[in-house]
Amino acid sequence: MAEIRLEGVSKKYSPKDSTYAVEHLTYTIPDGDFVSLLGPSGCGKSTTLNMIAGLESVTDGSIIVDGSAVEDLEPHKRDLAFVFQDYALYPHLSVADNIAFGLKMRRMPKAEIRRRVKDAAERLELEGLLRRKPKALSGGQRQRVALARAIARRPGVLLFDEPLSNLDALLRDRTRAELKMLHADIGSTSVYVTHDQEEAMSLSDRIAVMSKGRLEQYGTPSDIYLRP
Ligand code: ADP
Ligand code: ADP
């Protein structure tokens, strides 16, 4: 169960900044929902995502995940996984070890780690690639490893920062469909940053439309009005 509540969240990167990177964000992401943060470059999507992850502090307000303020939890106790635009795989580790990394960190029993690596590799069709190093993979394969690593954790919260933006159009469509299935299976509350309206509309239960650091609209795809 992982509901995410933003309560009057504002962020300034430096006290000297005259404007906020995000301002007065208040909304709730229900447990198990897939929510996209949508808006043009610079509107504050990544800032919001990084604050939910605890990678950036909030300047005002608070973010409550599963009943606890993010800043009160030690980083390794946060029940979340992050998928980055540039995949952020460990270059010296094999695909299998990349997928297992977070599980080993959490001292999960070996047999359970093996089961989860196998399951994640099957879901993302990586079985034949488990011994390879990231540099011997294509971009699409690297992205699938990053997704496998995230879902192997079965986290309460999955965070995505433009995970498809480095893929070509065909691969993007395929991976998008895959993401939708993964979410339906795994059920982690998912927050997905994108500037692509169509992507947000097709993937999301709800969309948070942002503009200049503020929340402009929040609702289901059919509630949202998007300018053509
Ligand atoms: P988006 O993800 O929608 O492109 P960001 O959250 O990256 O937007 O940026 C929101 C605002 O915060 C922008 O004005 C950006 O320049 C500023 N910003 C983002 N990251 C930093 C940072 N690390 N230091 C200072 N300012 C930042
Ligand atoms: P490249 O970028 O070198 O074309 P890909 O990663 O696109 O390599 O594809 C490598 C193999 O994985 C191909 O056989 C392709 O059919 C398969 N593949 C690629 N993407 C997916 C995906 N999202 N789901 C399932 N199979 C995929």
Side-chain angles (χ1 to χ4, degrees):
M1 293 286 115
E3 175 191 82
I4 303 170
R5 274 193 347 253
L6 289 84
E7 298 180 342
V9 173
S10 299
K11 172 73 178 179
K12 259 186 192 178
Y13 280 94
S14 155
K16 286 174 283 182
D17 290 351
S18 55
T19 59
Y20 286 88
V22 304
E23 207 173 356
H24 300 308
L25 300 179
T26 297
Y27 56 98
T28 297
I29 300 175
D31 175 49
D33 257 25
F34 193 112
V35 170
S36 288
L37 311 184
L38 175 67
S41 178
C43 73
K45 305 180 296 293
S46 297
T47 299
T48 305
L49 197 73
N50 291 338
M51 290 190 296
I52 294 173
L55 298 174
E56 285 288 351
S57 61
V58 299
T59 307
D60 287 305
S62 53
I63 299 179
I64 318 285
V65 178
D66 192 19
S68 304
V70 170
E71 67 259 34
D72 293 344
L73 283 178
E74 308 263 328
H76 68 275
K77 296 223 174 108
R78 295 179 189 137
D79 182 23
L80 60 85
F82 210 122
V83 180
F84 297 94
Q85 181 172 2
D86 60 2
Y87 321 139
L89 302 177
Y90 305 108
H92 56 292
L93 297 181
S94 68
V95 168
D97 289 340
N98 263 283
I99 299 173
F101 188 83
L103 311 178
K104 287 185 181 158
M105 290 277 287
R106 282 166 184 75
R107 300 176 191 290
M108 192 171 281
K110 275 197 177 133
E112 178 66 13
I113 293 180
R114 236 175 281 127
R115 252 196 309 276
R116 289 200 186 194
V117 170
K118 185 164 178 286
D119 173 71
E122 272 169 16
R123 285 175 191 277
L124 287 147
E125 300 184 41
L126 295 166
E127 297 105 314
L129 304 173
L130 285 169
R131 289 162 182 276
R132 287 211 199 161
K133 296 277 170 66
K135 68 173 185 306
L137 301 175
S138 70
Q141 291 168 338
R142 284 177 201 178
Q143 186 51 284
R144 301 210 303 284
V145 176
L147 288 172
R149 181 175 60 180
I151 65 160
R153 293 261 319 280
R154 304 200 190 136
V157 174
L158 266 173
L159 304 174
F160 301 94
D161 197 352
E162 307 233 17
L164 310 185
S165 59
N166 287 331
L167 305 179
D168 64 38
L170 184 66
L171 201 51
R172 205 155 51 224
D173 287 351
R174 193 157 58 181
T175 312
R176 187 201 285 183
E178 226 161 43
L179 259 178
K180 209 167 173 158
M181 276 172 22
L182 282 174
H183 178 254
D185 275 7
I186 308 274
S188 305
T189 307
S190 299
V191 188
Y192 185 93
V193 162
T194 182
H195 60 265
D196 185 325
Q197 296 190 355
E198 201 199 317
E199 206 168 282
M201 294 297 259
S202 73
L203 278 170
S204 315
D205 296 309
R206 277 160 228 271
I207 302 175
V209 183
M210 298 183 72
S211 171
K212 297 181 182 145
R214 292 178 173 261
L215 182 71
E216 279 212 320
Q217 301 179 67
Y218 183 56
T220 64
S222 54
D223 290 340
I224 295 282
Y225 171 74
L226 294 174
R227 281 178 213 91

